[in-house]
Amino acid sequence: MFKRILIANRGEIALRIIRSAREMGMQSVAVYSEFDSNALHTRIADIAVPLGGQLPSESYLSIDKILQAAKDTGAEAIHPGYGFLAENAEFARRVEEAGLAWIGPPAESIIAMGDKIESRRIMSAAEVPVVPGLTDPVADFDSAIRAAEDIGYPIAIKASAGGGGKGIRIVQKPEDMEGAFRAASGEAVTAFGDGRLYLERYLDRPRHIEIQVLFDGDGNGVHLYERECSVQRRHQKLLEECPSIVVDEALRAEMGEVALRAGRAVGYVGAGTVEFLYSNGEFFFLEMNTRLQVEHPVTEMVTGIDLVREQLRIASGEPLGYSQADIPRNGWSIEVRINAEDPATGFLPSTGKIGNLRLPGGPWVRVDSGMFRGMEVGLNYDPMLAKLVVWAPTRDMAVARMIRALQELHVGGVRTGAPAALAVLNDERFLSGDFDTSILSTMDFGVTSEEEERLAAVAAAIHRRQLAKRSALGGSAGTREGWLKRSRNAVSDFSSAPIFEGEGA
Amino acid sequence: MKYFVTVNGREHEVVIDEHSDDLNVVVDGQTLDVSYEEVDSLGQVAMNVDGMAHAVSIEGDANTCHVVMAGYSYEIELEDERERAAHAAEGASSGGGVVKSVMPGVVLELLVEVGDEVAERGPLLILEAMKMQNEIDAQSASRVTAVHVAKGEAVSAGQKLVTLEPLDSAE
């Protein structure tokens, strides 16, 4: 096992990795940008190495600087976290060329899964279902009809040059193909000056369900069940759960088997996630994330398996030491991402300095956070501040626990997406399980009850009176910061005003 | 003193009278028994209304503040009677409105120029912040009377972006 590892990341995930490493008796080397000199990961690691620079390209994305830091501190392995260099095959290769262990899959696996067309080809060959469709445009209406027979209805006709949903026609049955094809073709010419069309199976009300897998270096693999990630907007997940309410034992076993096949097809080693789109009882490969996922804690809560610990064990060459039948699955877990954004304004990013900070606690509540009082939330980095995770024996109890925990949380100085998560957790469709990836886009946020608004109005009016009283007492009296500033001014006045010397004498 | 308090877009009237240590609070005509104690200097408040306890977080100044209670967020604007009268006078003379940036970012695309007419929710510009592109829209049908930023310019929160005049009053 390693004695010291370097973590090429920041924020909550850097802390997450430091924590498992420390529990395993390993030292952690943090690296940090100029901006992060006071960050939590910089303070909590055993060794912290400044990379300098304001931009990610000068720090967390600088392969040369990170490798140098590993060399200087004698770290034996590098964990990339997620984001930044986590899915950068060149980094993986350079880490190994430097004689260090790479806590992630082989560079070849990253490359194979990183290419949309190539991964689709490999998956098809490995009998992993992909969304049926054509990669080449269809020539005319007749060949469209023939292709549609193979793909299966309903069919989505898409413009080759299109994007953003423009020029898409949904065809439910063969009789409708001719009209839809002509219309789509005409629309594509008008909109893009290119009438070429291709066909794909249309997935009605798709859900995003993914499978966690673990492989050791000897090719032993297990899956750690599914995560339901359909509560998302613009592919940004807001809330995840394990297990999924639509997955039964048979489907779970089948999806797990297929995910393991996907991993084996690219020679995968370590922890990875195979993402699927699920629709009407069918599921199709979307992509594989060749790294630890943000939402990995829900899997940990339900299986009791520390995924970072497993990553470190696998990277050091240990075998898994257990088989599929040994993986526990107990109860229900939900995660909410606490992002600096404002649901009331369409999730616009929110910046500021974190002042007031109240974190939830109590039974079965886990907070993976990089936040601290005084932290500047800027635009330099990802807006995710923390993850709130709960566990309970049943889904209903987990929902109630998450609502309770979100009500305890307060992050002052910035807006967060927490009110949106609360709205989801109170939404009938979410509670009954009848939802798909469009659920967030159909919800109205920033709606509050008039009764609660009155209470807020009272608090605001009294707050204003308190402010007025304080300023009547003399500027910023009553706040310690104000007092410090005035005393500092007084000292500087003193030193530059020698007249006091005479008075004092 | 009477306050006009707009909470998440809805206005409420709050009347507060203070008698020694007692607060007499009437909100929208309803009298409440209120106690209010600041817990720290960071904005945590222990508030009790008619016997019900509320953990309140509040940040802001005399005219705008942000309240969080039980996970829900309340954006608040306040005016007292005197300010309301003053603002009413200003509003009558100027009309229109200034669109300000709600966050720091970079102007990626300017979609309007002076003299353009925009529909309600019509796009004015694209602001890039936190690696995301955000479309800034007009709240109502308007004519652009001034553009305060250039393409590629970095803007701070609260900075003026575009000045609009309402279409109906201009015609």
Side-chain angles (χ1 to χ4, degrees):
Chain A
M1 193 55 72
F2 312 118
K3 290 193 175 61
R4 185 177 288 167
I5 63 167
L6 182 141
I7 297 149
N9 216 303
R10 65 183 299 278
E12 68 86 20
I13 192 60
L15 278 159
R16 166 73 193 84
I17 298 160
I18 291 170
R19 284 171 169 151
S20 283
R22 183 160 290 160
E23 287 170 14
M24 295 170 78
M26 264 176 235
Q27 287 194 334
S28 297
V29 180
V31 292
Y32 62 95
S33 66
E34 231 165 72
F35 181 86
D36 279 338
S37 61
N38 66 353
L40 272 188
H41 78 283
T42 308
R43 289 184 264 159
I44 286 174
D46 297 281
I47 300 169
V49 181
L51 298 178
Q54 298 277 354
L55 299 168
S57 60
E58 299 165 330
S59 51
Y60 303 105
L61 289 173
S62 170
I63 295 177
D64 290 335
K65 284 186 183 176
I66 290 166
L67 290 177
Q68 190 59 47
K71 195 176 162 201
D72 293 346
T73 56
E76 299 149 89
I78 294 184
H79 195 309
Y82 54 69
F84 293 124
L85 295 169
E87 287 173 285
N88 184 314
E90 191 204 336
F91 184 51
R93 203 171 274 150
R94 298 241 342 244
V95 167
E96 293 193 325
E97 278 168 11
L100 305 171
W102 165 246
I103 305 166
E108 295 71 34
S109 308
I110 300 176
I111 292 168
M113 284 301 189
D115 184 294
K116 282 262 176 211
I117 294 167
E118 177 68 1
S119 64
R120 193 182 154 96
R121 193 189 59 73
I122 299 171
M123 290 304 105
S124 297
E127 295 184 357
V128 171
V130 296
V131 178
L134 305 171
T135 39
D136 297 320
V138 281
D140 51 29
F141 162 66
D142 285 330
S143 41
I145 280 281
R146 275 197 305 277
E149 290 307 316
D150 292 336
I151 294 167
Y153 287 86
I155 294 274
I157 307 178
K158 295 185 176 178
S160 292
K166 261 194 173 169
I168 294 185
R169 291 277 163 151
I170 313 299
V171 187
Q172 299 291 346
K173 45 190 193 298
E175 304 90 274
D176 300 338
M177 184 57 105
E178 187 164 5
F181 190 87
R182 284 189 211 295
S185 180
E187 226 172 84
V189 171
T190 328
F192 314 110
D194 178 351
R196 287 179 306 153
L197 302 171
Y198 67 98
L199 306 185
E200 204 176 80
R201 170 79 70 74
Y202 172 69
L203 297 183
D204 186 32
R205 306 198 59 206
R207 296 171 85 115
H208 176 129
I209 298 175
E210 59 189 30
I211 301 283
Q212 175 72 52
V213 294
L214 278 178
F215 289 95
D216 67 16
D218 302 326
N220 301 308
V222 294
H223 68 83
L224 280 74
Y225 314 119
E226 77 280 6
R227 289 187 289 260
E228 163 75 67
C229 309
S230 299
V231 182
Q232 51 177 264
R233 48 173 287 278
R234 291 197 223 155
H235 304 288
Q236 300 283 320
K237 297 163 188 166
L238 171 69
L239 178 152
E240 302 99 343
E241 47 184 333
C242 174
S244 164
I245 197 166
V246 291
V247 175
D248 60 18
E249 287 301 340
L251 181 60
R252 181 169 295 125
E254 192 190 343
M255 289 182 88
E257 238 346 280
V258 169
L260 288 171
R261 225 157 50 219
R264 283 207 185 91
V266 295
Y268 205 83
V269 179
T273 296
V274 184
E275 296 188 336
F276 295 102
L277 281 178
Y278 169 91
S279 168
N280 292 324
E282 292 180 289
F283 62 92
F284 305 99
F285 173 83
L286 191 61
E287 61 178 11
M288 182 169 188
N289 290 315
T290 53
R291 55 172 164 83
L292 190 67
Q293 298 267 103
V294 172
E295 60 272 27
H296 75 275
V298 291
T299 299
E300 296 184 321
M301 300 299 268
V302 165
T303 60
I305 293 173
D306 177 339
L307 284 168
V308 172
R309 184 186 186 96
E310 295 311 293
Q311 285 189 301
L312 296 173
R313 282 184 53 232
I314 292 166
S316 76
E318 285 188 18
L320 278 186
Y322 45 78
S323 60
Q324 189 62 50
D326 301 323
I327 312 292
R329 186 168 62 81
N330 182 25
W332 211 283
S333 179
I334 301 177
E335 172 184 280
V336 166
R337 300 187 187 195
I338 308 300
N339 292 336
E341 61 191 8
D342 189 356
T345 59
F347 293 91
L348 287 177
S350 173
T351 60
K353 185 176 185 172
I354 295 181
N356 180 11
L357 181 62
R358 192 173 68 212
L359 294 178
W364 291 287
V365 173
R366 166 175 169 180
V367 186
D368 280 21
S369 163
M371 286 188 290
F372 56 94
R373 267 192 198 140
M375 179 174 136
E376 291 283 351
V377 179
L379 297 165
N380 306 26
Y381 298 114
D382 192 275
M384 201 184 74
L385 303 173
K387 303 181 309 206
L388 184 52
V389 186
V390 301
W391 180 91
T394 66
R395 186 171 191 258
D396 288 350
M397 289 167 83
V399 168
R401 180 159 285 151
M402 180 56 89
I403 291 172
R404 185 273 283 173
L406 280 169
Q407 289 178 337
E408 289 174 15
L409 171 77
H410 180 62
V411 182
V414 294
R415 306 292 181 272
T416 75
L422 277 173
V424 170
L425 291 160
N426 284 295
D427 187 284
E428 272 311 313
R429 294 165 299 171
F430 177 78
L431 294 173
S432 68
D434 181 25
F435 60 98
D436 55 66
T437 51
S438 71
I439 183 168
L440 274 186
S441 65
T442 63
M443 294 180 68
D444 202 3
F445 302 110
V447 183
T448 42
S449 84
E450 211 163 341
E451 198 56 37
E452 301 289 314
E453 286 168 14
R454 277 197 196 99
L455 294 173
V458 169
I462 301 175
H463 175 249
R464 178 181 163 133
R465 288 180 77 87
Q466 302 286 89
L467 287 177
K469 256 191 227 169
R470 220 171 271 145
S471 69
L473 287 172
S476 47
T479 71
R480 193 167 162 72
E481 193 179 31
W483 178 78
L484 282 170
K485 271 188 196 133
R486 274 206 315 284
S487 80
R488 229 179 269 131
N489 287 343
V491 169
S492 68
D493 285 350
F494 188 81
S495 61
S496 63
I499 191 162
F500 282 110
E501 282 179 20
E503 277 184 2
Chain B
M1 177 66 85
K2 185 192 270 187
Y3 301 93
F4 300 95
V5 188
T6 306
V7 184
N8 289 351
R10 204 167 2 205
E11 188 173 285
H12 303 274
E13 273 185 32
V14 182
V15 182
I16 300 179
D17 289 309
E18 219 169 321
H19 305 286
S20 63
D21 275 348
D22 275 350
L23 282 176
N24 193 349
V25 178
V26 179
V27 55
D28 297 335
Q30 189 188 347
T31 304
L32 302 176
D33 181 17
V34 178
S35 78
Y36 179 101
E37 186 185 336
E38 289 182 354
V39 177
D40 56 23
S41 61
L42 297 163
Q44 299 211 59
V45 172
M47 188 167 81
N48 193 302
V49 178
D50 289 341
M52 304 298 283
H54 301 277
V56 179
S57 288
I58 185 162
E59 288 160 330
D61 57 33
N63 293 109
T64 48
C65 65
H66 178 233
V67 166
V68 174
M69 286 187 308
Y72 285 94
S73 176
Y74 304 88
E75 302 288 346
I76 295 178
E77 285 175 35
L78 296 98
E79 286 177 328
D80 62 19
E81 287 164 295
R82 223 173 309 159
E83 287 167 336
R84 162 128 318 182
H87 288 159
E90 271 172 39
S93 62
S94 69
V98 179
V99 179
K100 292 178 181 173
S101 178
V102 296
M103 63 195 163
V106 174
V107 178
L108 209 62
E109 208 81 61
L110 261 178
L111 303 171
V112 292
E113 46 190 77
V114 173
D116 282 0
E117 288 183 7
V118 287
E120 185 181 334
R121 305 206 76 64
L124 299 171
L125 51 92
I126 310 281
L127 197 65
E128 187 178 68
M130 289 199 172
K131 296 181 276 182
M132 291 208 296
Q133 294 181 12
N134 306 287
E135 191 178 280
I136 310 298
D137 299 337
Q139 289 299 310
S140 57
S142 315
R143 178 178 288 114
V144 178
T145 57
V147 176
H148 306 286
V149 291
K151 185 176 168 176
E153 188 176 333
V155 296
S156 53
Q159 189 170 334
K160 287 181 188 176
L161 300 172
V162 174
T163 304
L164 302 174
E165 75 182 354
L167 270 188
D168 45 3
S169 77
E171 279 165 27

